[in-house]
Amino acid sequence: MQADIHEVADGIHLVHGSNTNWVILTEGDAVTLVDTGYPGDRDKVLASLAAVGSSPEAVTAVLVTHAHNDHLGSADYFSRTYGTPVHTHEAEVPHARRDFLHQVSVGQVLRNAWRPGVVPWAVHALRSGGTAHIPVAEPRPFPGEGPLDLPGRPVPVHTPGHTAGHCAFHLPEAGVVISGDGLVSGHPTSRVPGPQLLPVMFHRDRGGALASLDTFEALSGDVLLPGHGPVHRGSVREAAQRARERAL
């Protein structure tokens, strides 16, 4: 199965799955995988690793921006099959274990079904495992502050709101920000392209998501790799400002 892969800088790849993106960071023979798409995206995840000359055995860690099913899809598969550690923000660890689930409900989707794109998105989400029960058995918090000792040296940046433990990853030397769902550049339920917050129904705390745009504004970079939508090239600071203007 062919994967839609964009190498945005040396060793940094954004992969478009089915409505959700993940990122592959390569360093020699080792890989960091940031997010894993829907459960139904597993073949694409594995194909994308092969396409960049790697393998699932080479993944040194899976980093999870947040524990929604369209990002968590194959995290536990990597853990159980290959012994790959799965890391996320400490506030997201119980969410990844499914001690609780903070995700858009069927009722919220039905109330928004009149909006353009919502019904096709919902059908796709159901078919891709969006409502599946896929806990991670042993998610781990990040081991400390600052850059992680992993390929790409990503720096976790807590950006709560979409979920309580939502986390972006900053690659300062490359000028890249992996923004998860805290700042996106498109979505099947959005009619506008470019930097934006996801529609209201997707956020656990929309006010918190709006406030976290301040954190994105403070990150140096000129390449944004979002959880949804295409690569955005241009000032991350200006992208966050644009998203705020659209949200207010």
Side-chain angles (χ1 to χ4, degrees), residues 19-21 35 38 64-71 103 121 159-163 166-168 178-187 196-199 202-203 209-210 212-213 216 225-229:
N19 290 351
T20 305
N21 304 330
D35 287 343
Y38 280 101
V64 177
T65 58
H66 63 293
H68 285 162
N69 274 15
D70 58 332
H71 297 259
Q103 189 163 287
W121 165 82
T159 47
H162 184 63
T163 65
H166 186 281
C167 198
I178 302 169
S179 57
D181 283 5
L183 175 59
V184 301
S185 61
H187 191 268
Q196 59 191 283
L197 288 179
L198 285 171
F202 292 113
H203 297 296
L210 191 60
S212 282
L213 291 175
F216 282 110
L225 305 184
H228 302 276

mmCIF file of all heavy atoms in Angstrom, residues 19-21 35 38 64-71 103 121 159-163 166-168 178-187 196-199 202-203 209-210 212-213 216 225-229:
data_model
loop_
_atom_site.group_PDB
_atom_site.id
_atom_site.type_symbol
_atom_site.label_atom_id
_atom_site.label_comp_id
_atom_site.label_asym_id
_atom_site.label_seq_id
_atom_site.Cartn_x
_atom_site.Cartn_y
_atom_site.Cartn_z
ATOM 1 N N ASN A 19 -7.101 10.914 6.342
ATOM 2 C CA ASN A 19 -7.587 12.090 7.087
ATOM 3 C C ASN A 19 -6.709 12.493 8.263
ATOM 4 O O ASN A 19 -7.011 13.477 8.938
ATOM 5 C CB ASN A 19 -9.022 11.898 7.587
ATOM 6 C CG ASN A 19 -10.038 11.895 6.472
ATOM 7 O OD1 ASN A 19 -9.720 12.200 5.323
ATOM 8 N ND2 ASN A 19 -11.269 11.550 6.789
ATOM 9 N N THR A 20 -5.660 11.753 8.573
ATOM 10 C CA THR A 20 -4.783 12.078 9.699
ATOM 11 C C THR A 20 -3.329 11.897 9.261
ATOM 12 O O THR A 20 -3.024 11.015 8.471
ATOM 13 C CB THR A 20 -5.069 11.169 10.908
ATOM 14 O OG1 THR A 20 -6.449 11.256 11.252
ATOM 15 C CG2 THR A 20 -4.247 11.581 12.122
ATOM 16 N N ASN A 21 -2.459 12.733 9.803
ATOM 17 C CA ASN A 21 -1.036 12.663 9.480
ATOM 18 C C ASN A 21 -0.241 12.031 10.612
ATOM 19 O O ASN A 21 -0.657 12.052 11.774
ATOM 20 C CB ASN A 21 -0.465 14.066 9.248
ATOM 21 C CG ASN A 21 -1.198 14.842 8.167
ATOM 22 O OD1 ASN A 21 -1.723 14.260 7.226
ATOM 23 N ND2 ASN A 21 -1.233 16.154 8.307
ATOM 24 N N ASP A 35 2.838 9.859 16.331
ATOM 25 C CA ASP A 35 1.466 9.481 16.021
ATOM 26 C C ASP A 35 1.435 8.310 15.035
ATOM 27 O O ASP A 35 2.435 7.984 14.390
ATOM 28 C CB ASP A 35 0.638 10.666 15.530
ATOM 29 C CG ASP A 35 0.285 11.639 16.652
ATOM 30 O OD1 ASP A 35 0.392 11.263 17.828
ATOM 31 O OD2 ASP A 35 -0.095 12.788 16.349
ATOM 32 N N TYR A 38 -5.260 6.318 12.318
ATOM 33 C CA TYR A 38 -6.367 5.475 12.765
ATOM 34 C C TYR A 38 -5.907 4.017 12.886
ATOM 35 O O TYR A 38 -4.913 3.617 12.262
ATOM 36 C CB TYR A 38 -7.495 5.506 11.733
ATOM 37 C CG TYR A 38 -8.410 6.694 11.771
ATOM 38 C CD1 TYR A 38 -8.263 7.737 10.858
ATOM 39 C CD2 TYR A 38 -9.462 6.764 12.685
ATOM 40 C CE1 TYR A 38 -9.130 8.819 10.852
ATOM 41 C CE2 TYR A 38 -10.338 7.844 12.691
ATOM 42 C CZ TYR A 38 -10.167 8.872 11.773
ATOM 43 O OH TYR A 38 -11.034 9.936 11.784
ATOM 44 N N VAL A 64 3.170 10.240 21.119
ATOM 45 C CA VAL A 64 1.756 10.479 20.869
ATOM 46 C C VAL A 64 1.423 11.919 21.236
ATOM 47 O O VAL A 64 1.595 12.326 22.391
ATOM 48 C CB VAL A 64 0.886 9.500 21.687
ATOM 49 C CG1 VAL A 64 -0.597 9.801 21.476
ATOM 50 C CG2 VAL A 64 1.195 8.055 21.302
ATOM 51 N N THR A 65 0.950 12.689 20.239
ATOM 52 C CA THR A 65 0.566 14.068 20.539
ATOM 53 C C THR A 65 -0.625 14.095 21.486
ATOM 54 O O THR A 65 -0.695 14.938 22.387
ATOM 55 C CB THR A 65 0.218 14.844 19.260
ATOM 56 O OG1 THR A 65 -0.852 14.192 18.560
ATOM 57 C CG2 THR A 65 1.433 14.978 18.341
ATOM 58 N N HIS A 66 -1.570 13.165 21.268
ATOM 59 C CA HIS A 66 -2.729 13.047 22.142
ATOM 60 C C HIS A 66 -3.419 11.727 21.821
ATOM 61 O O HIS A 66 -3.199 11.136 20.759
ATOM 62 C CB HIS A 66 -3.681 14.232 21.974
ATOM 63 C CG HIS A 66 -4.289 14.346 20.618
ATOM 64 N ND1 HIS A 66 -3.551 14.653 19.490
ATOM 65 C CD2 HIS A 66 -5.571 14.178 20.183
ATOM 66 C CE1 HIS A 66 -4.331 14.689 18.443
ATOM 67 N NE2 HIS A 66 -5.560 14.393 18.823
ATOM 68 N N ALA A 67 -4.277 11.289 22.726
ATOM 69 C CA ALA A 67 -4.756 9.910 22.679
ATOM 70 C C ALA A 67 -6.111 9.740 22.023
ATOM 71 O O ALA A 67 -6.902 8.880 22.424
ATOM 72 C CB ALA A 67 -4.775 9.323 24.089
ATOM 73 N N HIS A 68 -6.419 10.519 21.010
ATOM 74 C CA HIS A 68 -7.595 10.252 20.198
ATOM 75 C C HIS A 68 -7.290 9.105 19.240
ATOM 76 O O HIS A 68 -6.153 8.927 18.801
ATOM 77 C CB HIS A 68 -8.015 11.499 19.420
ATOM 78 C CG HIS A 68 -8.689 12.530 20.271
ATOM 79 N ND1 HIS A 68 -8.830 13.851 19.890
ATOM 80 C CD2 HIS A 68 -9.271 12.427 21.497
ATOM 81 C CE1 HIS A 68 -9.470 14.511 20.835
ATOM 82 N NE2 HIS A 68 -9.746 13.670 21.820
ATOM 83 N N ASN A 69 -8.329 8.347 18.884
ATOM 84 C CA ASN A 69 -8.119 7.135 18.106
ATOM 85 C C ASN A 69 -7.452 7.369 16.762
ATOM 86 O O ASN A 69 -6.763 6.485 16.245
ATOM 87 C CB ASN A 69 -9.463 6.423 17.867
ATOM 88 C CG ASN A 69 -9.822 5.493 19.008
ATOM 89 O OD1 ASN A 69 -9.237 5.562 20.089
ATOM 90 N ND2 ASN A 69 -10.790 4.619 18.774
ATOM 91 N N ASP A 70 -7.631 8.556 16.171
ATOM 92 C CA ASP A 70 -7.040 8.792 14.860
ATOM 93 C C ASP A 70 -5.557 9.150 14.941
ATOM 94 O O ASP A 70 -4.906 9.347 13.913
ATOM 95 C CB ASP A 70 -7.812 9.866 14.082
ATOM 96 C CG ASP A 70 -7.896 11.196 14.794
ATOM 97 O OD1 ASP A 70 -7.850 11.220 16.045
ATOM 98 O OD2 ASP A 70 -8.027 12.230 14.111
ATOM 99 N N HIS A 71 -5.016 9.187 16.155
ATOM 100 C CA HIS A 71 -3.578 9.409 16.346
ATOM 101 C C HIS A 71 -2.930 8.254 17.109
ATOM 102 O O HIS A 71 -1.742 7.991 16.973
ATOM 103 C CB HIS A 71 -3.344 10.729 17.102
ATOM 104 C CG HIS A 71 -3.818 11.923 16.350
ATOM 105 N ND1 HIS A 71 -2.965 12.755 15.654
ATOM 106 C CD2 HIS A 71 -5.064 12.422 16.154
ATOM 107 C CE1 HIS A 71 -3.657 13.708 15.067
ATOM 108 N NE2 HIS A 71 -4.936 13.525 15.362
ATOM 109 N N GLN A 103 -13.250 12.371 23.843
ATOM 110 C CA GLN A 103 -13.276 12.356 22.388
ATOM 111 C C GLN A 103 -14.665 12.782 21.947
ATOM 112 O O GLN A 103 -15.638 12.590 22.679
ATOM 113 C CB GLN A 103 -12.958 10.939 21.878
ATOM 114 C CG GLN A 103 -12.742 10.821 20.382
ATOM 115 C CD GLN A 103 -12.027 9.514 20.025
ATOM 116 O OE1 GLN A 103 -10.844 9.355 20.271
ATOM 117 N NE2 GLN A 103 -12.767 8.576 19.453
ATOM 118 N N TRP A 121 -17.010 12.622 6.884
ATOM 119 C CA TRP A 121 -15.915 12.419 7.842
ATOM 120 C C TRP A 121 -16.299 11.349 8.857
ATOM 121 O O TRP A 121 -15.500 10.454 9.178
ATOM 122 C CB TRP A 121 -15.572 13.725 8.567
ATOM 123 C CG TRP A 121 -14.740 13.470 9.779
ATOM 124 C CD1 TRP A 121 -13.389 13.276 9.833
ATOM 125 C CD2 TRP A 121 -15.223 13.292 11.120
ATOM 126 N NE1 TRP A 121 -12.999 12.990 11.119
ATOM 127 C CE2 TRP A 121 -14.099 12.992 11.923
ATOM 128 C CE3 TRP A 121 -16.493 13.355 11.704
ATOM 129 C CZ2 TRP A 121 -14.221 12.758 13.293
ATOM 130 C CZ3 TRP A 121 -16.604 13.129 13.067
ATOM 131 C CH2 TRP A 121 -15.476 12.834 13.849
ATOM 132 N N THR A 159 0.625 21.674 25.051
ATOM 133 C CA THR A 159 -0.321 22.603 24.426
ATOM 134 C C THR A 159 -1.745 22.103 24.699
ATOM 135 O O THR A 159 -2.434 21.615 23.804
ATOM 136 C CB THR A 159 -0.069 22.699 22.906
ATOM 137 O OG1 THR A 159 0.078 21.370 22.357
ATOM 138 C CG2 THR A 159 1.189 23.502 22.617
ATOM 139 N N PRO A 160 -2.188 22.187 25.946
ATOM 140 C CA PRO A 160 -3.490 21.613 26.322
ATOM 141 C C PRO A 160 -4.661 22.381 25.727
ATOM 142 O O PRO A 160 -4.537 23.532 25.301
ATOM 143 C CB PRO A 160 -3.468 21.725 27.842
ATOM 144 C CG PRO A 160 -2.584 22.909 28.122
ATOM 145 C CD PRO A 160 -1.522 22.856 27.069
ATOM 146 N N GLY A 161 -5.803 21.710 25.733
ATOM 147 C CA GLY A 161 -7.029 22.309 25.238
ATOM 148 C C GLY A 161 -7.774 21.318 24.374
ATOM 149 O O GLY A 161 -8.905 20.945 24.671
ATOM 150 N N HIS A 162 -7.126 20.880 23.308
ATOM 151 C CA HIS A 162 -7.743 19.834 22.485
ATOM 152 C C HIS A 162 -7.978 18.606 23.358
ATOM 153 O O HIS A 162 -9.056 18.006 23.334
ATOM 154 C CB HIS A 162 -6.834 19.512 21.307
ATOM 155 C CG HIS A 162 -7.426 18.516 20.356
ATOM 156 N ND1 HIS A 162 -8.582 18.770 19.639
ATOM 157 C CD2 HIS A 162 -7.028 17.264 20.008
ATOM 158 C CE1 HIS A 162 -8.869 17.716 18.900
ATOM 159 N NE2 HIS A 162 -7.948 16.787 19.106
ATOM 160 N N THR A 163 -6.983 18.211 24.117
ATOM 161 C CA THR A 163 -7.097 17.308 25.267
ATOM 162 C C THR A 163 -6.244 17.904 26.378
ATOM 163 O O THR A 163 -5.435 18.805 26.144
ATOM 164 C CB THR A 163 -6.613 15.879 24.948
ATOM 165 O OG1 THR A 163 -5.208 15.926 24.664
ATOM 166 C CG2 THR A 163 -7.355 15.282 23.763
ATOM 167 N N HIS A 166 -2.513 17.276 25.545
ATOM 168 C CA HIS A 166 -2.049 17.459 24.166
ATOM 169 C C HIS A 166 -0.648 18.066 24.159
ATOM 170 O O HIS A 166 -0.338 18.971 24.923
ATOM 171 C CB HIS A 166 -3.007 18.357 23.383
ATOM 172 C CG HIS A 166 -2.654 18.460 21.929
ATOM 173 N ND1 HIS A 166 -1.642 19.271 21.473
ATOM 174 C CD2 HIS A 166 -3.163 17.849 20.837
ATOM 175 C CE1 HIS A 166 -1.542 19.156 20.161
ATOM 176 N NE2 HIS A 166 -2.455 18.298 19.744
ATOM 177 N N CYS A 167 0.193 17.539 23.272
ATOM 178 C CA CYS A 167 1.589 17.959 23.248
ATOM 179 C C CYS A 167 2.054 18.115 21.800
ATOM 180 O O CYS A 167 1.801 17.241 20.964
ATOM 181 C CB CYS A 167 2.444 16.904 23.951
ATOM 182 S SG CYS A 167 4.057 17.488 24.446
ATOM 183 N N ALA A 168 2.706 19.228 21.514
ATOM 184 C CA ALA A 168 3.381 19.429 20.234
ATOM 185 C C ALA A 168 4.841 19.023 20.402
ATOM 186 O O ALA A 168 5.315 18.767 21.521
ATOM 187 C CB ALA A 168 3.266 20.885 19.801
ATOM 188 N N ILE A 178 5.897 20.127 15.037
ATOM 189 C CA ILE A 178 4.887 19.082 14.835
ATOM 190 C C ILE A 178 3.737 19.437 15.780
ATOM 191 O O ILE A 178 3.882 19.348 16.995
ATOM 192 C CB ILE A 178 5.466 17.696 15.160
ATOM 193 C CG1 ILE A 178 6.697 17.407 14.288
ATOM 194 C CG2 ILE A 178 4.408 16.619 14.975
ATOM 195 C CD1 ILE A 178 7.487 16.179 14.733
ATOM 196 N N SER A 179 2.619 19.850 15.210
ATOM 197 C CA SER A 179 1.603 20.519 16.026
ATOM 198 C C SER A 179 0.417 19.662 16.420
ATOM 199 O O SER A 179 -0.459 20.127 17.156
ATOM 200 C CB SER A 179 1.089 21.758 15.281
ATOM 201 O OG SER A 179 0.584 21.413 14.007
ATOM 202 N N GLY A 180 0.353 18.397 15.957
ATOM 203 C CA GLY A 180 -0.785 17.567 16.328
ATOM 204 C C GLY A 180 -2.096 18.233 15.949
ATOM 205 O O GLY A 180 -2.238 18.784 14.850
ATOM 206 N N ASP A 181 -3.051 18.229 16.885
ATOM 207 C CA ASP A 181 -4.351 18.857 16.633
ATOM 208 C C ASP A 181 -4.481 20.200 17.338
ATOM 209 O O ASP A 181 -5.569 20.775 17.378
ATOM 210 C CB ASP A 181 -5.479 17.926 17.080
ATOM 211 C CG ASP A 181 -5.721 16.799 16.083
ATOM 212 O OD1 ASP A 181 -4.947 16.696 15.109
ATOM 213 O OD2 ASP A 181 -6.671 16.016 16.288
ATOM 214 N N GLY A 182 -3.368 20.695 17.884
ATOM 215 C CA GLY A 182 -3.399 22.008 18.525
ATOM 216 C C GLY A 182 -3.414 23.147 17.536
ATOM 217 O O GLY A 182 -3.873 24.256 17.847
ATOM 218 N N LEU A 183 -2.927 22.885 16.323
ATOM 219 C CA LEU A 183 -2.883 23.889 15.250
ATOM 220 C C LEU A 183 -2.806 23.112 13.947
ATOM 221 O O LEU A 183 -1.824 22.411 13.707
ATOM 222 C CB LEU A 183 -1.660 24.794 15.425
ATOM 223 C CG LEU A 183 -1.382 25.837 14.342
ATOM 224 C CD1 LEU A 183 -2.570 26.792 14.179
ATOM 225 C CD2 LEU A 183 -0.113 26.631 14.684
ATOM 226 N N VAL A 184 -3.848 23.189 13.128
ATOM 227 C CA VAL A 184 -3.901 22.390 11.912
ATOM 228 C C VAL A 184 -3.951 23.304 10.686
ATOM 229 O O VAL A 184 -4.096 24.525 10.798
ATOM 230 C CB VAL A 184 -5.108 21.424 11.923
ATOM 231 C CG1 VAL A 184 -5.026 20.490 13.130
ATOM 232 C CG2 VAL A 184 -6.436 22.178 11.905
ATOM 233 N N SER A 185 -3.862 22.678 9.506
ATOM 234 C CA SER A 185 -3.915 23.468 8.269
ATOM 235 C C SER A 185 -5.081 23.025 7.376
ATOM 236 O O SER A 185 -5.152 23.413 6.219
ATOM 237 C CB SER A 185 -2.599 23.327 7.499
ATOM 238 O OG SER A 185 -2.375 21.977 7.130
ATOM 239 N N GLY A 186 -5.976 22.243 7.922
ATOM 240 C CA GLY A 186 -7.143 21.783 7.197
ATOM 241 C C GLY A 186 -7.773 20.599 7.900
ATOM 242 O O GLY A 186 -7.175 20.002 8.803
ATOM 243 N N HIS A 187 -9.005 20.283 7.501
ATOM 244 C CA HIS A 187 -9.717 19.124 8.053
ATOM 245 C C HIS A 187 -10.910 18.854 7.161
ATOM 246 O O HIS A 187 -11.472 19.794 6.570
ATOM 247 C CB HIS A 187 -10.178 19.393 9.493
ATOM 248 C CG HIS A 187 -10.676 18.172 10.204
ATOM 249 N ND1 HIS A 187 -12.008 17.802 10.209
ATOM 250 C CD2 HIS A 187 -10.018 17.223 10.925
ATOM 251 C CE1 HIS A 187 -12.146 16.680 10.907
ATOM 252 N NE2 HIS A 187 -10.963 16.307 11.345
ATOM 253 N N GLN A 196 -5.428 26.994 11.392
ATOM 254 C CA GLN A 196 -6.714 27.127 12.070
ATOM 255 C C GLN A 196 -6.783 26.173 13.255
ATOM 256 O O GLN A 196 -6.015 25.220 13.348
ATOM 257 C CB GLN A 196 -7.854 26.799 11.108
ATOM 258 C CG GLN A 196 -7.774 25.389 10.525
ATOM 259 C CD GLN A 196 -8.737 25.174 9.382
ATOM 260 O OE1 GLN A 196 -9.928 24.989 9.596
ATOM 261 N NE2 GLN A 196 -8.206 25.208 8.147
ATOM 262 N N LEU A 197 -7.723 26.443 14.148
ATOM 263 C CA LEU A 197 -8.116 25.461 15.152
ATOM 264 C C LEU A 197 -9.133 24.517 14.522
ATOM 265 O O LEU A 197 -9.854 24.889 13.596
ATOM 266 C CB LEU A 197 -8.746 26.148 16.363
ATOM 267 C CG LEU A 197 -7.837 26.942 17.295
ATOM 268 C CD1 LEU A 197 -8.664 27.552 18.419
ATOM 269 C CD2 LEU A 197 -6.725 26.079 17.862
ATOM 270 N N LEU A 198 -9.195 23.309 15.031
ATOM 271 C CA LEU A 198 -10.243 22.397 14.601
ATOM 272 C C LEU A 198 -11.612 22.941 15.020
ATOM 273 O O LEU A 198 -11.719 23.772 15.936
ATOM 274 C CB LEU A 198 -10.026 21.023 15.244
ATOM 275 C CG LEU A 198 -8.894 20.173 14.661
ATOM 276 C CD1 LEU A 198 -8.672 18.955 15.531
ATOM 277 C CD2 LEU A 198 -9.205 19.759 13.231
ATOM 278 N N PRO A 199 -12.688 22.497 14.376
ATOM 279 C CA PRO A 199 -14.025 22.910 14.797
ATOM 280 C C PRO A 199 -14.270 22.629 16.282
ATOM 281 O O PRO A 199 -13.683 21.715 16.870
ATOM 282 C CB PRO A 199 -14.942 22.068 13.901
ATOM 283 C CG PRO A 199 -14.138 21.850 12.657
ATOM 284 C CD PRO A 199 -12.725 21.677 13.151
ATOM 285 N N PHE A 202 -14.556 19.218 18.435
ATOM 286 C CA PHE A 202 -13.433 18.299 18.624
ATOM 287 C C PHE A 202 -12.598 18.594 19.868
ATOM 288 O O PHE A 202 -11.766 17.778 20.252
ATOM 289 C CB PHE A 202 -12.528 18.325 17.397
ATOM 290 C CG PHE A 202 -13.156 17.741 16.161
ATOM 291 C CD1 PHE A 202 -13.455 18.537 15.073
ATOM 292 C CD2 PHE A 202 -13.468 16.389 16.092
ATOM 293 C CE1 PHE A 202 -14.032 18.005 13.932
ATOM 294 C CE2 PHE A 202 -14.052 15.841 14.956
ATOM 295 C CZ PHE A 202 -14.332 16.652 13.881
ATOM 296 N N HIS A 203 -12.779 19.753 20.497
ATOM 297 C CA HIS A 203 -11.919 20.144 21.609
ATOM 298 C C HIS A 203 -12.551 19.816 22.956
ATOM 299 O O HIS A 203 -13.730 20.097 23.188
ATOM 300 C CB HIS A 203 -11.628 21.655 21.566
ATOM 301 C CG HIS A 203 -10.883 22.091 20.347
ATOM 302 N ND1 HIS A 203 -9.612 21.661 20.074
ATOM 303 C CD2 HIS A 203 -11.237 22.920 19.334
ATOM 304 C CE1 HIS A 203 -9.205 22.215 18.936
ATOM 305 N NE2 HIS A 203 -10.173 22.960 18.462
ATOM 306 N N ALA A 209 -7.507 25.446 24.155
ATOM 307 C CA ALA A 209 -6.880 25.312 22.836
ATOM 308 C C ALA A 209 -6.537 26.682 22.272
ATOM 309 O O ALA A 209 -5.465 26.867 21.668
ATOM 310 C CB ALA A 209 -7.816 24.560 21.893
ATOM 311 N N LEU A 210 -7.419 27.640 22.470
ATOM 312 C CA LEU A 210 -7.162 29.003 22.019
ATOM 313 C C LEU A 210 -5.972 29.601 22.761
ATOM 314 O O LEU A 210 -5.088 30.221 22.167
ATOM 315 C CB LEU A 210 -8.418 29.852 22.225
ATOM 316 C CG LEU A 210 -8.456 31.239 21.589
ATOM 317 C CD1 LEU A 210 -8.319 31.146 20.076
ATOM 318 C CD2 LEU A 210 -9.763 31.943 21.973
ATOM 319 N N SER A 212 -3.486 27.992 24.060
ATOM 320 C CA SER A 212 -2.248 27.323 23.667
ATOM 321 C C SER A 212 -1.669 27.872 22.379
ATOM 322 O O SER A 212 -0.494 27.619 22.066
ATOM 323 C CB SER A 212 -2.485 25.809 23.530
ATOM 324 O OG SER A 212 -2.525 25.194 24.808
ATOM 325 N N LEU A 213 -2.457 28.636 21.628
ATOM 326 C CA LEU A 213 -1.886 29.301 20.455
ATOM 327 C C LEU A 213 -0.786 30.272 20.872
ATOM 328 O O LEU A 213 0.143 30.530 20.097
ATOM 329 C CB LEU A 213 -2.975 30.022 19.660
ATOM 330 C CG LEU A 213 -3.981 29.109 18.952
ATOM 331 C CD1 LEU A 213 -5.083 29.949 18.292
ATOM 332 C CD2 LEU A 213 -3.287 28.237 17.910
ATOM 333 N N PHE A 216 2.312 28.191 20.790
ATOM 334 C CA PHE A 216 2.778 28.006 19.413
ATOM 335 C C PHE A 216 3.443 29.279 18.882
ATOM 336 O O PHE A 216 4.444 29.206 18.169
ATOM 337 C CB PHE A 216 1.613 27.605 18.509
ATOM 338 C CG PHE A 216 1.219 26.168 18.619
ATOM 339 C CD1 PHE A 216 0.018 25.800 19.216
ATOM 340 C CD2 PHE A 216 2.035 25.160 18.126
ATOM 341 C CE1 PHE A 216 -0.357 24.467 19.314
ATOM 342 C CE2 PHE A 216 1.676 23.816 18.223
ATOM 343 C CZ PHE A 216 0.467 23.477 18.821
ATOM 344 N N LEU A 225 4.049 21.000 10.759
ATOM 345 C CA LEU A 225 3.571 19.670 10.386
ATOM 346 C C LEU A 225 2.366 19.352 11.267
ATOM 347 O O LEU A 225 2.511 18.938 12.414
ATOM 348 C CB LEU A 225 4.677 18.625 10.585
ATOM 349 C CG LEU A 225 6.002 18.903 9.863
ATOM 350 C CD1 LEU A 225 6.964 17.738 10.063
ATOM 351 C CD2 LEU A 225 5.781 19.175 8.384
ATOM 352 N N PRO A 226 1.156 19.563 10.740
ATOM 353 C CA PRO A 226 -0.051 19.410 11.566
ATOM 354 C C PRO A 226 -0.575 17.980 11.573
ATOM 355 O O PRO A 226 -0.210 17.148 10.738
ATOM 356 C CB PRO A 226 -1.044 20.344 10.860
ATOM 357 C CG PRO A 226 -0.652 20.224 9.413
ATOM 358 C CD PRO A 226 0.860 20.070 9.400
ATOM 359 N N GLY A 227 -1.474 17.720 12.504
ATOM 360 C CA GLY A 227 -2.130 16.424 12.552
ATOM 361 C C GLY A 227 -3.139 16.233 11.441
ATOM 362 O O GLY A 227 -3.468 15.104 11.082
ATOM 363 N N HIS A 228 -3.615 17.349 10.886
ATOM 364 C CA HIS A 228 -4.557 17.316 9.776
ATOM 365 C C HIS A 228 -4.216 18.447 8.818
ATOM 366 O O HIS A 228 -3.923 19.561 9.241
ATOM 367 C CB HIS A 228 -6.003 17.477 10.272
ATOM 368 C CG HIS A 228 -6.423 16.442 11.265
ATOM 369 N ND1 HIS A 228 -6.896 15.199 10.893
ATOM 370 C CD2 HIS A 228 -6.412 16.457 12.620
ATOM 371 C CE1 HIS A 228 -7.169 14.496 11.976
ATOM 372 N NE2 HIS A 228 -6.879 15.236 13.042
ATOM 373 N N GLY A 229 -4.269 18.148 7.526
ATOM 374 C CA GLY A 229 -3.970 19.148 6.516
ATOM 375 C C GLY A 229 -2.550 19.032 5.986
ATOM 376 O O GLY A 229 -1.746 18.241 6.482
#
